[in-house]
Amino acid sequence: MLECGPAPAPQDLCSHQESLSMVAAPSDGFHGSQWRSTCLLPTEEQKRDVGHPGRATLDESLGDRSPWEEELLGQIRAMSDSQRSRVLEAIQHRIEEHTQVITIPGGSSGLGLQLPRAGHWGPSTVFCLQLLWKEVADPGIRELLAPLNLEPQQPVEKAFLFLVYGLILRECASSDLVRRHLMRLLELSHQTAGQREGMAVASGIASSSHLQEVWATLEHLGRTRVLRTACTSPDYQEPYADVHWRWVSSTSLLCYGHMALHAGEHILPWVDNVISRMVYYFSCSCYDNILETSFLSAAVMLVKALKQEHSTRRYRFTQIPELIQCLLAILQKEPNFLATLFRQKIILVIMELSKLRPSLKPVVKSRILQTCLQSLYMLPPMEMLKSCLPPLDLAPDVMVLYQKSMQALDLLLQTFISENKSMDEMCFLLQHTEPWLKSDKSHECKRVVQTIFLLLKYVVDYVKLTDEATPSMLGHQIGLLMLLWRDRDPVTQSHSRQCIYLLLQLLIQQKGSMGQFMHLNKMKNFEAKALRRSEMKFYNLVKALDRSLTPAQHTQLILTLLGGLCSHDHLQCDLASQLVLMIFQNQSIKVEQVAEILQGLFQELPSIVFKNILQTMMKAVTMLGTQHTQETVEVMLSLCHPSERQVLPLWKALASNNQLARKVLMLLYMKLKLRPPKELVRLSQQAELISLLALGTIYELLYTREYKATVRWAFAGILVGLLTQLHYLFELDVVEGISDYQEDSLEVKPLSPCRTCLEALKGLFWTTNYWEVFAYLQLLRGWELFEHLETYTEGVTLLARAMAHYDCEVKAVLGQAVISLKSSEERDNIVAILVITEFLNSQELTQYMSRRAMDNFLSLGLSSPNQLVRAMSLKGLTSILMDPKKVVLLRNQLAGLLDSFMGPEPQDLMGLMEILGDILHSLGTQGIGATSIRMAQHLLSLFEDEQAPVRGGAISLFGDVVHSGGKKYRPALKRQAFQALVPLLFHLVDSCPAVVMKTKLTFLRCAILLKWEFRKELFGKLAWGHGLGAENDIFIYMALIYLGSPHKNLKRMAMKFIGGILQDYFTDLCFSLKRGDLKIFKKYLEVLKKDSDSVSRRFYQNFLEDITELSKFVRQ
């Protein structure tokens, strides 16, 4: 059996008792486990084998010899070979005769095999040597046995026969005699445990003088018997002869064990062969309890033999991993209850084997740790261990068995760290505890934390780590322990905290920092006095970890805490989130950590269950973004494609701080400008371009409520960036999918880069409430101009014209355009000059920039290598703003053209309207004064022209004219616009689609001029409404305006009109109206409820039911 020897020095670790006592002596302030503090004493060796026949090693009698044994040996040595042969034959005969009487298959004979200690015989009396006395007729042999006083009345134990047999074989000088009689002995039945043990004892004793002969005999037995019965199923009912040999492999294993035990100094040359046979016979034999018992007994004897040989440490073994694998196989088959000390014995044997050379490979050690931890940690909880036992005659003390098994595990871990005194080894050991630290079962978690605590306490007190390795996984293991700080079990809580302190102490010892060491001791004392101040305690520990861990370890710690966010245990989730928040608040995150941390958080976000935990993590992201804005933005761009939107919560978190949100958009704008030339961009890399990722992100943020104010602030930069980005994409020829987009399609699919850029451009105006500019281009189909490089410049010009007309961020965009005009990039120059030349017609431009400054910038464009830039610069220099004298000239020209235009039969009416439109655009803010009224009146008469182009041209020009009269003539032009409403309504259903499109724009411009309340809703109906229902909606919006008119006639006409629409087109309204429309409808209708006019109140009562019914069918 494996013993606990005397206590050596701590660094020696040869003794189990000393090493275990070191584990269980916690210092003040630590609460060690008392039940694992006492080692098995050597005097308890026999107690281990109670109830387990066949496990004794039968070597106690081989120590000090009693007087009768010396006399027996003297008699044996005096015998001749023939006399020895006759005694051996007589013993064989009696053993065989007895075996035929007792036929308990595979079981014990009930006699036991404890050898008598010096000076007395054992207690069993079922077999007597007097039978042998009667059978031996030779007086010489009788004389040999006479000194033993074997009278017929005195019984002896059967084991004594095997002992005598072995002693006789050992003293034989003839090798042939030894082989012959040993083979005869081994041919006896292997059915009972006593028989197998006896054969092994005799073989072992004989091998001490005849090692080669015994080896050869066992080899022969293996070839002829062991392998023949190896694959026989124990459940099969074989004939009696087969039962005779069924457990021969178990006998062979015991024989090899006794051979090793008796080999002495000859053990090393034979040890690898012995182990190989043991492993082979175990592997190829049918597994049962007898086989595992025999193998373990043999392994114990082998370890004992190796411990007694001093040169073992210098020998390089070749079969140790295979032997350990067999022991682990036995351990894995142990039932999930404790009735024996098998677990302890196996672990202790493995511990001793791990000390041999060469050192075990990590894969072997890993297998050992996994198997041993699983075998012990998966046992039922302490309170259930006893109740899980099967029915037994004598129930064992389960608590003692458990304590000793856990002590063996502690010793194994201490041996591993003592054999390799490094932080890498410590992390390697802790790595295998991870599954149990994460266990949902409280007793498993409690066991593993206690094991870790005892190991760390031992290392801190007795082991000096030899290197300054800083494995990053140490941070991960610290994180797992930190997640147990609020465990429901107080013991687990306490041990997890103490483990952190011990690990910190190891780190500080490595660095040799006395200051930190003193601070750590103060923290430990503080914790002992103020356990309730948990938040302060956590904060102090977090700060200590921040100082002690390397960036890689610190990163792993945070990633582990992030993993704890996904638990379904709210306590653990809350702890993890608070710890992460503390770490971020401490500003200990370094630049090189940001990427891994954000990637880890991004992976965990979808699995976070609790809303408040998610909110806490968003606060942490805000802090991280504040500290490392650029790195945070760069990492978030790389997490996933912006269109997938999983990363959107992180972007929202960065918008909780206004200044941070501005920094984010500025960085995105800068990333948008990172545009490598086409020749440097491979086709496979296009999707990974940082500018495209920035573009997709900007597109998503445009529609994110948290960024609304920031987008408005950065409007000019985003606009110029998007315009130049679209030109860049045309340069890359990435135009696929830009024209295939359908706004009303229900199919959701990622947008192409070009389409994303165009939709972002449109969204910029819509989300910032510059919807008039959006509408201007939408109704003129101006956005379609951006879909092709050939019409791109027309699109930019039209967009800039609409912005100038509605005074949309002119000052800011002008500033960005001036910066772009100075850029070395040609695309920047093109966008800038197109915008600037159109802005020259803005009413407010002179407030933002002087003519001289503008002249300088336009002159700069004249030196551009791009022809378009030069041409547009020249056009700008010749504008009215730069040359005011042209106003008079243009107005004079306009007067002459108007005479021709308003004549009875004008020539080339379309050409005249086009020229008039150009003059109006050129005059810009100067306007045409009273002439605008005359033109508007004349254009109204052309609305009904037979030619569709003329109707369309007149309607379009009318929209320009009503906005060109200036403030002085605006009231008169409003009257003209009012008169045009009814004709325009009719032309919304004109037979010519081109006329309809121009009518929609002019109708909207009239509504804007008249300042209707529903201008934006009206645009929605005009732009996206279809069929008769859409026109009905427009009519209703117009009529709603007059429900509040002070003129009774107008109000009653509006009521009559609305009532007719509700009655005649109810079904169409169900499909065309939306909930938003209905809310507006109800709002204006509610006003009539309290109107003083009885007709108005009656109208409300009559049509309230229709409105209620309509609300059941309208869309969202």
Side-chain angles (χ1 to χ4, degrees):
M1 304 301 296
L2 206 55
E3 297 179 348
C4 294
Q11 63 269 25
D12 196 337
L13 242 198
C14 293
S15 165
H16 307 162
Q17 182 176 357
E18 178 66 18
S19 59
L20 202 55
S21 65
M22 289 186 288
V23 168
S27 60
D28 294 340
F30 288 83
H31 309 289
S33 177
Q34 298 301 316
W35 57 265
R36 284 163 75 174
S37 62
T38 305
C39 181
L40 297 177
L41 298 176
T43 55
E44 294 182 338
E45 195 69 48
Q46 290 75 31
K47 296 180 182 179
R48 298 180 183 178
D49 290 306
V50 173
H52 303 287
R55 295 193 190 181
T57 56
L58 299 174
D59 62 334
E60 290 88 342
S61 62
L62 300 179
D64 297 332
R65 293 172 180 168
S66 61
W68 65 266
E69 188 175 354
E70 291 290 347
E71 185 175 353
L72 177 60
L73 285 173
Q75 293 291 334
I76 291 174
R77 288 166 183 163
M79 295 172 63
S80 65
D81 285 348
S82 60
Q83 289 175 326
R84 292 171 182 165
S85 181
R86 290 179 61 191
V87 173
L88 293 173
E89 290 172 358
I91 293 175
Q92 293 169 23
H93 178 70
R94 285 305 164 194
I95 293 175
E96 184 176 9
E97 193 174 75
H98 173 71
T99 303
Q100 293 174 356
V101 176
I102 301 174
T103 58
I104 304 173
S108 170
S109 63
L111 302 178
L113 288 177
Q114 293 277 0
L115 286 182
R117 296 193 179 275
H120 71 278
W121 298 102
S124 300
T125 58
V126 295
F127 186 77
C128 300
L129 272 187
Q130 54 264 49
L131 295 176
L132 177 63
W133 177 275
K134 294 176 181 179
E135 291 296 324
V136 177
D138 192 316
I141 298 178
R142 286 177 176 270
E143 184 180 351
L144 167 67
L145 301 177
L148 301 179
N149 296 319
L150 297 177
E151 300 298 334
Q153 292 78 20
Q154 181 178 0
V156 297
E157 295 189 5
K158 177 182 175 182
F160 179 68
L161 293 178
F162 291 105
L163 175 63
V164 172
Y165 201 97
L167 291 174
I168 295 174
L169 289 178
R170 187 181 70 184
E171 299 303 323
C172 286
S174 171
S175 299
D176 292 337
L177 182 65
V178 171
R179 287 196 188 97
R180 185 172 66 255
H181 285 286
L182 182 59
M183 195 64 227
R184 288 180 181 177
L185 178 67
L186 294 175
E187 288 178 349
L188 297 177
S189 174
H190 299 262
Q191 188 174 359
T192 65
Q195 195 99 333
R196 294 189 295 273
E197 288 283 356
M199 293 178 184
V201 168
S203 301
I205 295 173
S207 69
S208 59
S209 296
H210 303 282
L211 186 55
Q212 291 187 355
E213 288 77 5
V214 173
W215 176 266
T217 303
L218 290 177
E219 286 288 279
H220 177 73
L221 180 70
R223 289 192 301 271
T224 58
R225 295 297 180 181
V226 175
L227 298 181
R228 185 180 301 176
T229 59
C231 298
T232 304
S233 171
D235 298 328
Y236 181 73
Q237 299 298 323
E238 303 94 337
Y240 180 80
D242 290 335
V243 176
H244 177 98
W245 292 105
R246 179 186 292 178
W247 291 282
V248 65
S249 56
S250 297
T251 305
S252 298
L253 291 171
L254 292 172
C255 288
Y256 286 121
H258 281 279
M259 278 183 63
L261 200 59
H262 289 82
E265 62 184 11
H266 303 293
I267 179 62
L268 292 181
W270 289 86
V271 66
D272 288 322
N273 286 333
V274 169
I275 296 176
S276 67
R277 292 300 183 272
M278 288 172 58
V279 170
Y280 182 67
Y281 290 164
F282 177 81
S283 302
C284 69
S285 300
C286 293
Y287 188 89
D288 58 16
N289 291 336
I290 296 174
L291 182 71
E292 72 173 24
T293 302
S294 302
F295 185 85
L296 181 56
S297 297
V300 170
M301 288 185 276
L302 176 67
V303 167
K304 276 190 175 183
L306 293 175
K307 287 184 66 177
Q308 295 168 4
E309 179 56 41
H310 299 294
S311 58
T312 299
R313 300 288 292 181
R314 299 190 300 271
Y315 185 81
R316 294 185 65 83
F317 296 83
T318 62
Q319 300 292 318
I320 298 301
E322 289 76 11
L323 179 60
I324 289 176
Q325 181 59 35
C326 294
L327 291 168
L328 294 178
I330 297 175
L331 189 59
Q332 287 176 321
K333 293 180 183 295
E334 278 293 281
N336 198 34
F337 57 80
L338 277 175
T340 70
L341 278 173
F342 254 42
R343 286 178 168 87
Q344 181 214 27
K345 293 180 181 180
I346 292 172
I347 294 173
L348 291 178
V349 169
I350 292 174
M351 180 199 72
E352 293 296 337
L353 293 175
S354 68
K355 298 177 183 178
L356 304 177
R357 296 293 176 267
S359 299
L360 297 178
K361 294 181 179 179
V363 65
V364 178
K365 291 168 72 173
S366 182
R367 199 179 305 126
I368 292 171
L369 290 168
Q370 290 173 6
T371 307
C372 293
L373 295 180
Q374 180 175 348
S375 180
L376 290 176
Y377 292 160
M378 289 188 67
L379 288 170
M382 291 294 295
E383 60 273 12
M384 296 177 58
L385 271 177
K386 191 169 184 179
S387 61
C388 292
L389 287 175
L392 297 173
D393 295 335
L394 181 61
D397 189 335
V398 177
M399 183 63 69
V400 172
L401 295 178
Y402 178 77
Q403 292 173 2
K404 292 180 179 180
S405 299
M406 296 303 292
Q407 288 168 1
L409 177 62
D410 294 335
L411 287 172
L412 176 67
L413 297 176
Q414 292 171 18
T415 300
F416 281 164
I417 194 64
S418 299
E419 291 294 313
N420 182 9
K421 301 174 183 178
S422 68
M423 188 61 79
D424 284 329
E425 182 71 9
M426 175 61 70
C427 286
F428 177 78
L429 299 179
L430 294 179
Q431 177 184 346
H432 290 83
T433 65
E434 180 175 342
W436 313 104
L437 287 172
K438 294 180 176 180
S439 174
D440 295 330
K441 298 180 180 178
S442 178
H443 67 281
E444 293 180 353
C445 197
K446 182 177 180 180
R447 287 168 181 167
V448 68
V449 175
Q450 189 167 17
T451 299
I452 295 172
F453 165 69
L454 293 174
L455 174 63
L456 292 173
K457 189 71 176 67
Y458 167 78
V459 174
V460 168
D461 291 344
Y462 298 106
V463 179
K464 180 173 177 59
L465 301 181
T466 56
D467 60 7
E468 295 186 4
T470 56
S472 61
M473 286 307 295
L474 181 63
H476 172 65
Q477 289 142 8
I478 289 175
L480 292 175
L481 290 166
M482 290 175 74
L483 290 174
L484 298 174
W485 282 357
R486 287 183 183 169
D487 192 86
R488 290 176 175 81
D489 189 296
V491 176
T492 303
Q493 270 192 36
S494 175
H495 277 138
S496 63
R497 289 195 296 269
Q498 294 170 31
C499 287
I500 300 297
Y501 282 120
L502 290 170
L503 283 168
L504 274 172
Q505 193 168 336
L506 285 177
L507 290 170
I508 293 170
Q509 286 175 355
Q510 274 192 307
K511 295 180 178 180
S513 173
M514 286 302 298
Q516 288 191 39
F517 185 77
M518 296 296 293
H519 179 70
L520 182 62
N521 281 332
K522 289 181 181 179
M523 286 175 57
K524 289 164 64 176
N525 294 332
F526 172 79
E527 181 193 358
K529 296 176 183 178
L531 288 174
R532 294 184 180 180
R533 299 174 63 184
S534 59
E535 296 305 320
M536 179 62 70
K537 175 185 61 184
F538 289 172
Y539 182 71
N540 290 333
L541 262 178
V542 166
K543 290 182 68 175
L545 288 169
D546 290 343
R547 288 191 299 267
S548 303
L549 297 178
T550 65
Q553 291 171 338
H554 198 239
T555 301
Q556 289 301 317
L557 166 63
I558 296 172
L559 292 177
T560 305
L561 295 177
L562 292 176
L565 299 173
C566 305
S567 171
H568 288 267
D569 183 349
H570 189 269
L571 272 178
Q572 187 179 90
C573 290
D574 185 64
L575 172 64
S577 64
Q578 293 301 323
L579 288 172
V580 172
L581 193 60
M582 284 182 190
I583 293 173
F584 285 18
Q585 285 173 335
N586 202 30
Q587 297 189 3
S588 57
I589 307 296
K590 294 180 173 56
V591 172
E592 60 267 29
Q593 296 178 253
V594 174
E596 267 194 277
I597 290 173
L598 277 177
Q599 288 166 359
L601 175 60
F602 178 67
Q603 292 175 358
E604 304 297 344
L605 277 181
S607 304
I608 295 178
V609 178
F610 304 103
K611 186 177 181 180
N612 67 315
I613 304 301
L614 191 59
Q615 292 171 346
T616 302
M617 292 319 301
M618 293 305 102
K619 292 180 183 177
V621 172
T622 303
M623 292 179 184
L624 184 63
T626 304
Q627 297 164 23
H628 304 285
T629 311
Q630 181 173 343
E631 292 74 19
T632 301
V633 169
E634 289 175 352
V635 174
M636 287 169 59
L637 284 174
S638 67
L639 291 176
C640 70
H641 194 275
S643 64
E644 297 176 15
R645 299 185 181 178
Q646 291 95 327
V647 76
L648 196 56
L650 299 181
W651 290 111
K652 289 182 179 180
L654 298 182
S656 59
N657 180 311
N658 187 47
Q659 289 300 115
L660 179 57
R662 292 188 174 190
K663 287 182 181 179
V664 168
L665 276 184
M666 286 175 63
L667 286 168
L668 288 173
Y669 172 71
M670 293 169 63
K671 300 297 180 187
L672 191 66
K673 295 176 68 176
L674 297 177
R675 301 163 180 145
K678 180 178 180 180
E679 53 270 17
L680 298 181
V681 180
R682 297 178 182 175
L683 186 62
S684 60
Q685 296 176 331
Q686 288 179 353
E688 301 172 5
L689 287 176
I690 192 70
S691 64
L692 296 188
L693 296 174
L695 168 64
T697 303
I698 290 173
Y699 173 64
E700 296 297 333
L701 298 187
L702 290 175
Y703 295 93
T704 304
R705 178 176 52 83
E706 290 79 359
Y707 279 91
K708 187 173 183 180
T710 311
V711 169
R712 187 70 176 258
W713 169 80
F715 182 92
I718 296 174
L719 173 64
V720 175
L722 291 174
L723 289 172
T724 52
Q725 179 73 5
L726 186 56
H727 196 285
Y728 173 68
L729 294 175
F730 282 130
E731 294 172 19
L732 293 182
D733 198 25
V734 192
V735 295
E736 183 180 357
I738 189 171
S739 300
D740 301 336
Y741 180 72
Q742 295 180 354
E743 291 181 339
D744 55 352
S745 175
L746 297 178
E747 184 182 359
V748 179
K749 58 181 180 181
L751 300 177
S752 66
C754 263
R755 193 70 220 183
T756 300
C757 191
L758 179 52
E759 290 302 312
L761 188 62
K762 294 163 66 175
L764 178 63
F765 290 92
W766 187 260
T767 58
T768 52
N769 209 32
Y770 290 121
W771 65 270
E772 295 96 342
V773 177
F774 179 92
Y776 189 91
L777 268 76
Q778 181 73 19
L779 295 177
L780 282 180
R781 303 184 68 175
W783 297 119
E784 297 177 11
L785 299 174
F786 289 96
E787 295 179 0
H788 307 280
L789 182 59
E790 296 78 13
T791 56
Y792 169 82
T793 55
E794 295 177 45
V796 176
T797 300
L798 187 61
L799 180 62
R801 181 177 301 174
M803 293 176 65
H805 181 74
Y806 292 107
D807 192 24
C808 171
E809 299 284 347
V810 172
K811 179 181 179 180
V813 175
L814 181 64
Q816 285 290 330
V818 168
I819 295 172
S820 297
L821 193 60
K822 300 176 183 178
S823 170
S824 59
E825 294 289 345
E826 194 174 273
R827 71 180 77 88
D828 293 347
N829 302 154
I830 293 173
V831 171
I833 197 63
L834 290 172
V835 170
I836 291 173
T837 51
E838 281 301 320
F839 277 10
L840 292 174
N841 298 316
S842 172
Q843 300 176 5
E844 313 293 340
L845 189 65
T846 52
Q847 299 178 17
Y848 311 138
M849 189 174 294
S850 65
R851 284 190 176 87
R852 183 175 180 181
M854 187 59 67
D855 184 85
N856 292 336
F857 291 128
L858 292 172
S859 299
L860 181 65
L862 293 176
S863 59
S864 172
N866 185 274
Q867 181 180 357
L868 176 61
V869 175
R870 295 196 303 271
M872 295 304 295
S873 299
L874 185 60
K875 179 181 178 181
L877 288 169
T878 59
S879 65
I880 289 178
L881 182 66
M882 303 305 295
D883 188 4
K885 296 178 183 179
K886 287 188 175 182
V887 176
V888 178
L889 178 63
L890 286 175
R891 284 180 174 173
N892 291 335
Q893 185 180 5
L894 178 64
L897 290 173
L898 279 178
D899 291 338
S900 300
F901 178 63
M902 296 181 182
E905 294 182 2
Q907 299 293 322
D908 191 12
L909 193 57
M910 289 301 299
L912 281 172
M913 286 191 291
E914 185 176 352
I915 295 172
L916 289 171
D918 290 340
I919 292 175
L920 285 177
H921 177 64
S922 299
L923 286 172
T925 58
Q926 303 298 324
I928 58 176
T931 307
S932 59
I933 301 174
R934 291 175 54 209
M935 284 186 67
Q937 292 172 344
H938 185 70
L939 288 170
L940 272 172
S941 64
L942 296 178
F943 281 12
E944 309 307 323
D945 193 276
E946 294 180 356
Q947 300 180 45
V950 174
R951 294 197 305 273
I955 290 172
S956 179
L957 186 57
F958 182 85
D960 293 333
V961 168
V962 293
H963 283 277
S964 64
K967 293 182 180 180
K968 181 178 180 180
Y969 297 97
R970 188 167 297 167
L973 289 172
K974 282 185 177 182
R975 288 193 292 272
Q976 295 296 321
F978 189 79
Q979 293 177 16
L981 289 177
V982 174
L984 289 173
L985 278 172
F986 287 118
H987 284 292
L988 288 175
V989 291
D990 195 281
S991 59
C992 178
V995 174
V996 172
M997 185 60 67
K998 292 176 181 179
T999 302
K1000 288 181 178 181
L1001 177 59
T1002 301
F1003 190 89
L1004 180 63
R1005 297 183 73 178
C1006 289
I1008 293 172
L1009 181 66
L1010 296 172
K1011 296 184 178 180
W1012 285 2
E1013 185 176 351
F1014 314 113
R1015 298 187 296 274
K1016 191 173 182 178
E1017 290 78 5
L1018 177 62
F1019 160 68
K1021 299 300 179 181
L1022 291 170
W1024 296 295
H1026 298 286
L1028 184 59
E1031 281 71 42
N1032 291 338
D1033 298 344
I1034 296 171
F1035 297 157
I1036 289 177
Y1037 272 110
M1038 289 180 59
L1040 284 175
I1041 298 170
Y1042 295 99
L1043 287 180
S1045 174
H1047 304 289
K1048 288 187 176 181
N1049 291 338
L1050 290 176
K1051 181 191 291 188
R1052 292 181 179 179
M1053 184 58 67
M1055 287 188 292
K1056 186 175 181 181
F1057 180 79
I1058 292 172
I1061 290 289
L1062 286 173
Q1063 288 181 346
D1064 297 339
Y1065 298 100
F1066 184 87
T1067 303
D1068 294 321
L1069 292 175
C1070 289
F1071 290 100
S1072 60
L1073 286 179
K1074 296 182 180 180
R1075 290 287 172 88
D1077 301 325
L1078 210 57
K1079 286 181 180 179
I1080 297 172
F1081 205 162
K1082 287 182 178 179
K1083 174 185 173 183
Y1084 274 82
L1085 221 56
E1086 286 292 332
V1087 176
L1088 301 180
K1089 182 178 181 181
K1090 300 178 181 179
D1091 198 290
S1092 58
D1093 181 22
S1094 61
V1095 177
S1096 300
R1097 294 196 302 272
R1098 195 181 313 118
F1099 174 81
Y1100 172 80
Q1101 294 295 335
N1102 291 340
F1103 290 97
L1104 179 63
E1105 184 178 347
D1106 290 341
I1107 300 299
T1108 304
E1109 186 70 17
L1110 190 62
S1111 63
K1112 298 178 182 179
F1113 299 101
V1114 296
R1115 297 173 296 169
Q1116 295 293 332

